[in-house]
Amino acid sequence: MSEQVQERLVKGRPDHFWDDLVTGDRLQSPGITITEAHLVQWAGLTGDWVSLHLDEEYAAQTPFGQRIGHGPLTLSVALGLMTQTGYFSNVIAWLGLESVRAVKPVFIGETIRVEALVSEARETSKPGAGLWTIDYTVVKQDGSTVMTFSSSFLIKRR
């Protein structure tokens, strides 16, 4: 006699709330390989048409020897990668950035990911919301750090 198994269709990511993370928790994002398309699209979106990012011959004459990704592109991609963890589906408000440091360049063809630490998870005066401060470390495929920053969010509570 076979047992009947009930199936559930699960769509998207699970809902996570402020209550799901505490100070000291660590998160890791998936990675993404930065391509020329990222640089060109970022320049078009933002108007940041700096030769260091887009002109191969110019960039070859710089200390980097090649084009590098825009710093704000790296920061934005890092924030986006963390949303893929599912922990940011209940954001009420993004409260800003602190201590942004570009440590190393990101070259076309390199893969970056985020290692994050919840440096603060605290209640707020709003009964339906808590605050997370997340310390981001953006690393590339060799494990070296390319950028660090902190970001704070107001998150729904259960």
Side-chain angles (χ1 to χ4, degrees):
M1 202 153 111
S2 67
E3 291 183 32
Q4 190 171 21
V5 177
Q6 184 169 354
E7 293 183 20
R8 286 186 324 145
L9 177 61
V10 179
K11 288 186 174 182
R13 298 179 300 233
D15 268 345
H16 290 287
F17 294 86
W18 173 82
D19 318 71
D20 294 321
L21 291 177
V22 297
T23 301
D25 280 348
R26 293 190 177 277
L27 302 171
Q28 186 169 320
S29 79
I32 188 169
T33 300
I34 300 300
T35 67
E36 180 176 19
H38 290 109
L39 275 63
V40 172
Q41 289 176 357
W42 182 262
L45 179 66
T46 64
D48 187 348
W49 292 95
V50 173
S51 295
L52 180 59
H53 310 299
L54 303 171
D55 182 334
E56 201 168 309
E57 290 190 22
Y58 172 86
Q61 303 306 313
T62 70
F64 301 113
Q66 60 183 301
R67 292 177 290 163
I68 65 171
H70 306 70
L73 167 66
T74 300
L75 184 135
S76 294
V77 168
L79 286 167
L81 286 171
M82 284 307 293
T83 66
Q84 293 182 43
T85 65
Y87 281 94
F88 297 88
S89 57
N90 283 305
V91 170
I92 297 168
W94 178 60
L95 303 177
L97 294 170
E98 304 261 344
S99 305
V100 178
R101 295 290 175 262
V103 180
K104 283 186 173 181
V106 175
F107 298 113
I108 294 171
E110 291 191 314
T111 300
I112 60 172
R113 65 181 168 75
V114 178
E115 296 174 355
L117 170 69
V118 179
S119 59
E120 182 179 29
R122 67 172 171 83
E123 295 180 359
T124 68
S125 60
K126 299 176 192 286
L131 179 125
W132 287 340
T133 299
I134 311 281
D135 294 342
Y136 288 65
T137 302
V138 185
V139 298
K140 55 185 174 181
Q141 69 279 348
D142 65 2
S144 64
T145 298
V146 297
M147 181 174 281
T148 60
F149 61 92
S150 295
S151 190
S152 296
F153 304 86
L154 200 58
I155 307 288
K156 286 183 193 173
R157 294 178 69 175
R158 290 194 195 286

